[in-house]
Amino acid sequence: QVQLVESGGGLVQPGGSLRLSCAASGSIASINTMGWYRQAPGKERELVARITSGGNTNYADSVKGRFTISRDNAKNTVYLQINSLTPEDPAVYFCNAGIFTYVPAYRYLEVWGQGTLVTVSS
């Protein structure tokens, strides 16, 4: 089967930076759009950024100019560069991908990672 594993979360001071990574693995035929979502306490999960297989990107208004999404197709990995962290950014960040797999049969799956926690100190 296929899975996504995030890494890079942690505790950062306001104004700081960090880079999240999410690697897809398993029986992958191809990967369509990949994205990052986040969910803060008491809030709904929201789209942060996404990137198509061709490199087109979209960002939530709240992170434009501060976050950058990118991907390395050869490594089946998507990244989220987070800059200028604010106290409004702490959340669990999840990666998401549309993946074509071939085991046990050829099919399309929307796959979620387990999440990585980003915390901003006061």
Side-chain angles (χ1 to χ4, degrees):
Q1 195 50 276
V2 297
Q3 65 183 73
L4 301 174
V5 179
E6 302 101 330
S7 62
L11 176 65
V12 186
Q13 292 185 331
S17 300
L18 76 168
R19 191 190 196 198
L20 307 182
S21 300
C22 177
S25 62
S27 302
I28 299 170
S30 63
I31 303 178
N32 194 22
T33 299
M34 306 184 80
W36 287 95
Y37 296 72
R38 68 185 182 187
Q39 188 166 18
K43 302 293 181 62
E44 294 290 316
R45 185 176 299 185
E46 64 174 346
L47 174 67
V48 176
R50 63 181 183 177
I51 183 169
T52 69
S53 60
N56 293 325
T57 59
N58 291 302
Y59 296 93
D61 289 341
S62 60
V63 306
K64 285 182 179 178
R66 299 190 298 120
F67 292 11
T68 302
I69 189 171
S70 61
R71 65 191 287 171
D72 185 336
N73 291 330
K75 296 181 178 180
N76 291 330
T77 299
V78 63
Y79 307 94
L80 186 68
Q81 178 66 46
I82 301 174
N83 296 327
S84 302
L85 281 166
T86 75
E88 290 72 46
D89 291 328
V92 177
Y93 284 71
F94 300 89
C95 63
N96 169 268
I99 300 176
F100 290 92
T101 185
Y102 54 88
V103 176
Y106 191 82
R107 57 182 177 166
Y108 185 79
L109 300 174
E110 185 173 352
V111 184
W112 290 89
Q114 81 288 346
T116 185
L117 180 64
V118 174
T119 303
V120 180
S121 61
S122 300

